[in-house]
Amino acid sequence: MFSSKKNMSSPSHATHHDKADTPEAASTAAFAGPTTAKRIPQVQKEATISHGILYPVHSFTAFALALLASCAILIWLLVECVPIIDWQSVASEPTFDLVKDAVPATAAPTPTSGVLEVFQVYQPILTSAGVLDETALEDGLESVDSTDQAPVTTSCETLLMEHSFGFSYGKPFVGNYTPPKCKFNRVTMNFTVTSRGRQFDRLALMYFGDTEVWRTSTAEPTANGIRWEYIKDMSEYLYFWNSPQTIIFDLGNLIDDTYTGPFNTTLSATFSTSKENIEPASVIIPISARKGATNAASVFTLPTENATNTIRVPRNANRAAFSVSACGQATEEFWWSNVLQSDIDTFVPVVGTLYGYSPFREVQVLIDGQLAGVHWPFPVIFTGGVVPGLWRPIVGIDAFDLREHEIDITPWLPVLSDGAEHTFEIRVVGIVDDGKSRGTLTESVGSSWLVTGKIFLWLDADSSSVTTGKAPTIHLPKPEISLSQSLTQNSTGANESLAYTTDVKRSISISSLVTTQNKTFLSTWTQSLSVTNYGKFIAFGAVQQNNHTTTGTDQSTGGTFYESSYTYPLYANSSYIVQPSGNFTIEAELMLGLDLAIHGKPVFPTGLQTFAQLPRTSDLVFGLSGTSLSTRQNGTAYYFAAPSVGVSSGFGSTNQEFTFKGVDLSGGVADKELYYRNVEAVNSTIVRDFESLVGTEVRSYEVPAKNTGKAQLVMGTVSPKAAIGRGFGAPKQLLVQGGGA
């Protein structure tokens, strides 16, 4: 294995406005001050700001940017009625074989088709065909392939959806699911999508009736087309798969003269049997807007709605867990880059009003009005985020599979099992500050957060049994909030730079004595979390830096043991320069990471089950109590737009390194690397890809970066407000069908 290269990038985004933007006169004139017609440098990394690893800055000279802009407009003027000019070349083919121990894969599109294969890096998934993951073929294209064979099992497949989402806002796909005839205890879904033309990324939610079971997003298409395939283990939902269901798949999209790309989708499920050691939930209860009976989506939209359900819980439960699904959209998509509320008007003349309520968000779960647990969200960056050059063909971490957060509510069972109705509520809070160093949590945040929840229940065999015990003891100190801000002005009194910090710590402990049919135990749920965000603006708000890190440990003891430890590092440095003509440039450098260690028995599959089924790895994972996932993405990109003539161009590079291990909490078994991948793309072309399974190379691919082509010129532009959350324009329109829509 070789170490990852740093700061290589590629193109796309999830916050674009749905109409071509033209800069307002005030915005265009904003740079008539001291910085007019000069390239504004990115924020320099200082130890006092970075507080740790310093990520190198990749700079583009003013001459190169000006030359690119001039060439882009000239070519557009010379070529009539050509929607996209693509100078990207296909990488040359190496001669060595990339596949070992593999089942033959289905044929992929040929390189001459120009179809871009987009993918998310994640650990392999066990299916009846073997262990599947998405990888580079000899021709540089991506394909879902088998990296190892599993024992042969009986299986069957069901088509769940075949649908084109064109003008689909408020028009979700609705279909009926009937359980297959074969026996199964494992279900995997295959979601395959193609699109061609121009379109923004879109959020999609899948429901069984009122219950959200999957949240994903789309990639942005190209003129030649894109394709992606995502395999997802859905075995935690056997409660639904075992009975007929109404499938509601909400992928809101718009089609007009400018945005022409529909999303053509196929969703299938494969059912099989395996040696599972995870007991699925007996009952799953949704906490949602409950619109399934009218064939509508059931997501709550906050803060405009009240995300509350009143339900009655079965009285014989011995374990209960709450999963929450939440992500920010529109003005809340880049919540991690927001400023303190007292600073939102600092740079109005240059970049407009900034988004506020601090770069801190907390998703709260309340039972009967009392806090039962929290979720500090992972900063998902969708496939058009920050700069539309970072995410082709490697999408952002979790962009195709937004991870849900698990909160154990077993300590609440003595209360919930009384036969009465109880309220469950989901809230999203930020911080309102005093303009100095103090802040308090506030229920006011921007628009919008899309949230749903689920209660997973495991029941005792005796349906007449009643779970009893004591009301939970709740230790809930107020969160520790520490803020700072420093503003500098130039000689004319104009605000020139702003530095601010946000530090929050919180701990939660909830415990109760629980008596079930078979035992009495002390159930305890604890959480310990911290977040730090160091933010800085220079050049009158045109350049922004954020160094954001969330860390946390969640643990459930006494009943079913579960522990999750996580770290979410994010570094973003972006510049936004507008010329007097209205043309503008966005340039960014970004590092996004995820460290996640899970022990015990979670609700959702961890990925260890895959390796327990393989003959050559089953002995290795015996005795392991959990998993460790660690990944980092490093990218740089730029974007040039000429709104007056409706053209734009860009270039980017992204590298991702991914490691998945089996671990033992007790230390009795040595940690074992099960899967590793290091992949790099430059300007939509994979230039390097290395994979290993249990330390043995599976595939290797590398071509010279010089074969990656030049910047691509396309019709249409995206607004700065949509791409980076500041500047002129507007955020992308929210197209997911909310509970109140």
Side-chain angles (χ1 to χ4, degrees):
M1 296 181 294
F2 41 81
S3 61
S4 64
K5 281 189 178 179
K6 45 192 173 181
N7 300 328
M8 309 297 292
S9 126
S10 70
S12 186
H13 181 210
T15 298
H16 300 68
H17 193 46
D18 287 297
K19 295 183 179 179
D21 295 290
T22 54
E24 301 168 2
S27 300
T28 304
F31 287 87
T35 57
T36 298
K38 294 183 179 179
R39 179 187 181 277
I40 301 175
Q42 293 183 312
V43 178
Q44 296 300 311
K45 263 64 77 184
E46 304 170 86
T48 56
I49 294 296
S50 297
H51 290 248
I53 298 175
L54 301 181
Y55 303 96
V57 176
H58 177 75
S59 299
F60 298 97
T61 65
F63 174 77
L65 289 173
L67 182 60
L68 172 68
S70 301
C71 292
I73 297 175
L74 178 60
I75 293 173
W76 181 86
L77 292 174
L78 292 175
V79 181
E80 296 181 355
C81 303
V82 179
I84 294 187
I85 301 171
D86 189 347
W87 292 294
Q88 179 179 317
S89 63
V90 179
S92 61
E93 299 184 8
T95 58
F96 47 82
D97 185 20
L98 304 183
V99 182
K100 297 181 180 179
D101 304 325
V103 175
T106 56
T110 61
T112 56
S113 68
V115 174
L116 180 67
E117 295 283 338
V118 185
F119 61 98
Q120 176 178 311
V121 177
Y122 62 112
Q123 67 268 31
I125 299 296
L126 178 66
T127 72
S128 59
V131 178
L132 300 183
D133 75 329
E134 190 154 1
T135 188
L137 301 176
E138 287 89 340
D139 51 24
L141 293 174
E142 284 286 308
S143 177
V144 172
D145 201 0
S146 177
T147 58
D148 208 341
Q149 294 184 352
V152 177
T153 63
T154 58
S155 66
C156 53
E157 185 174 327
T158 297
L159 179 65
L160 302 176
M161 175 180 71
E162 194 168 41
H163 187 72
S164 180
F165 292 91
F167 199 105
S168 56
Y169 173 52
K171 301 176 182 178
F173 167 85
V174 180
N176 296 318
Y177 160 75
T178 301
K181 301 295 184 181
C182 63
K183 292 184 179 180
F184 64 92
N185 66 354
R186 188 178 188 87
V187 185
T188 56
M189 286 198 322
N190 182 308
F191 186 54
T192 302
V193 186
T194 62
S195 185
R196 186 187 304 270
R198 177 169 174 78
Q199 194 55 261
F200 294 134
D201 56 89
R202 306 297 187 188
L203 191 68
L205 285 75
M206 176 184 172
Y207 305 84
F208 282 141
D210 296 327
T211 308
E212 180 186 343
V213 294
W214 187 36
R215 186 173 297 199
T216 183
S217 67
T218 70
E220 293 186 339
T222 65
N224 291 328
I226 61 169
R227 179 188 180 275
W228 72 91
E229 188 173 356
Y230 190 80
I231 312 294
K232 180 172 174 61
D233 190 342
M234 296 286 285
S235 303
E236 69 270 26
Y237 294 117
L238 288 176
Y239 170 74
F240 293 117
W241 293 115
N242 285 324
S243 60
Q245 302 292 332
T246 298
I247 296 176
I248 300 173
F249 200 102
D250 185 25
L251 197 170
N253 194 26
L254 292 180
I255 298 290
D256 57 24
D257 292 340
T258 303
Y259 303 103
T260 59
F263 293 101
N264 307 306
T265 67
T266 301
L267 181 69
S268 61
T270 300
F271 304 84
S272 59
T273 57
S274 65
K275 301 175 183 178
E276 289 294 340
N277 59 359
I278 294 180
E279 180 187 3
S282 309
V283 177
I284 302 175
I285 302 173
I287 304 300
S288 70
R290 295 180 177 260
K291 298 288 185 178
T294 60
N295 293 334
S298 294
V299 70
F300 285 117
T301 303
L302 301 180
T304 57
E305 296 178 322
N306 186 327
T308 301
N309 281 177
T310 300
I311 63 171
R312 185 177 282 109
V313 174
R315 305 188 69 183
N316 61 326
N318 58 65
R319 179 189 176 193
F322 191 101
S323 75
V324 59
S325 180
C327 65
Q329 290 282 277
T331 68
E332 286 285 300
E333 184 173 351
F334 305 108
W335 53 269
W336 46 267
S337 69
N338 287 18
V339 299
L340 301 176
Q341 187 64 18
S342 60
D343 293 327
I344 61 174
D345 294 325
T346 301
F347 303 111
V348 168
V350 175
V351 295
T353 301
L354 300 171
Y355 297 140
Y357 299 110
S358 85
F360 168 80
R361 292 294 179 270
E362 178 177 85
V363 183
Q364 301 178 337
V365 175
L366 298 94
I367 300 176
D368 293 334
Q370 300 182 81
L371 191 65
V374 298
H375 164 40
W376 287 13
F378 175 76
V380 176
I381 301 179
F382 297 101
T383 59
V386 183
V387 175
L390 287 167
W391 312 117
R392 288 179 184 164
I394 308 171
V395 304
I397 298 170
D398 287 358
F400 281 169
D401 191 1
L402 278 71
R403 202 177 300 266
E404 298 190 28
H405 196 80
E406 180 178 337
I407 297 170
D408 188 71
I409 57 172
T410 302
W412 295 85
L413 283 178
V415 174
L416 298 175
S417 301
D418 62 1
E421 291 185 333
H422 297 272
T423 61
F424 287 78
E425 181 182 1
I426 303 173
R427 297 177 183 171
V428 178
V429 304
I431 294 175
V432 62
D433 66 293
D434 64 357
K436 298 178 182 177
S437 61
R438 295 184 179 181
T440 57
L441 297 185
T442 173
E443 294 181 28
S444 297
V445 293
S447 178
S448 298
W449 278 83
L450 304 177
V451 303
T452 69
K454 290 178 287 290
I455 304 171
F456 293 80
L457 295 169
W458 287 259
L459 306 182
D460 285 329
D462 184 358
S463 60
S464 63
S465 174
V466 177
T467 300
T468 60
K470 296 182 179 180
T473 299
I474 303 174
H475 180 63
L476 191 65
K478 291 184 178 180
E480 301 175 19
I481 301 174
S482 177
L483 311 173
S484 72
Q485 49 196 312
S486 175
L487 180 68
T488 64
Q489 298 177 327
N490 67 3
S491 59
T492 67
N495 294 331
E496 187 169 5
S497 68
L498 171 69
Y500 58 99
T501 64
T502 305
D503 295 292
V504 185
K505 296 180 180 179
R506 182 195 268 286
S507 62
I508 295 173
S509 177
I510 301 172
S511 63
S512 70
L513 196 66
V514 180
T515 299
T516 66
Q517 177 186 346
N518 298 314
K519 65 178 181 178
T520 297
F521 58 94
L522 180 65
S523 176
T524 302
W525 170 250
T526 59
Q527 292 186 271
S528 177
L529 307 104
S530 67
V531 66
T532 59
N533 186 290
Y534 304 94
K536 188 173 185 179
F537 286 88
I538 64 171
F540 307 93
V543 180
Q544 181 180 12
Q545 179 194 64
N546 283 99
N547 200 335
H548 183 98
T549 303
T550 300
T551 59
T553 299
D554 304 340
Q555 187 179 80
S556 174
T557 59
T560 301
F561 177 76
Y562 165 74
E563 182 180 82
S564 174
S565 300
Y566 42 91
T567 301
Y568 311 146
L570 168 62
Y571 172 81
N573 189 343
S574 64
S575 64
Y576 154 60
I577 301 109
V578 177
Q579 301 300 326
S581 64
N583 297 343
F584 65 90
T585 300
I586 302 173
E587 182 181 342
E589 175 193 17
L590 183 136
M591 188 287 297
L592 178 62
L594 168 64
D595 297 321
L596 177 63
I598 296 178
H599 298 274
K601 294 184 177 181
V603 171
F604 301 98
T606 63
L608 190 61
Q609 299 84 359
T610 293
F611 297 91
Q613 307 300 321
L614 298 178
R616 68 176 174 133
T617 59
S618 58
D619 291 341
L620 294 174
V621 301
F622 179 77
L624 295 176
S625 61
T627 59
S628 172
L629 183 159
S630 180
T631 185
R632 294 290 186 277
Q633 290 180 319
N634 287 278
T636 57
Y638 71 82
Y639 176 82
F640 165 79
S644 60
V645 293
V647 295
S648 59
S649 63
F651 192 96
S653 172
T654 296
N655 167 259
Q656 182 168 359
E657 188 172 19
F658 183 99
T659 304
F660 181 74
K661 296 180 179 179
V663 298
D664 178 34
L665 189 63
S666 66
V669 179
D671 295 351
K672 188 67 179 179
E673 181 183 280
L674 301 175
Y675 177 74
Y676 173 86
R677 185 173 187 182
N678 192 319
V679 59
E680 180 180 343
V682 178
N683 201 31
S684 302
T685 301
I686 299 172
V687 298
R688 181 165 57 92
D689 197 358
F690 177 89
E691 281 184 285
S692 65
L693 194 67
V694 199
T696 302
E697 179 183 318
V698 176
R699 295 177 178 87
S700 180
Y701 172 79
E702 188 164 6
V703 296
K706 66 181 181 180
N707 293 335
T708 58
K710 302 177 181 179
Q712 302 176 50
L713 181 69
V714 301
M715 296 289 289
T717 65
V718 63
S719 74
K721 181 74 78 172
I724 55 175
R726 65 186 191 275
F728 65 81
K732 185 183 66 178
Q733 183 178 350
L734 182 64
L735 296 180
V736 171
Q737 186 182 22

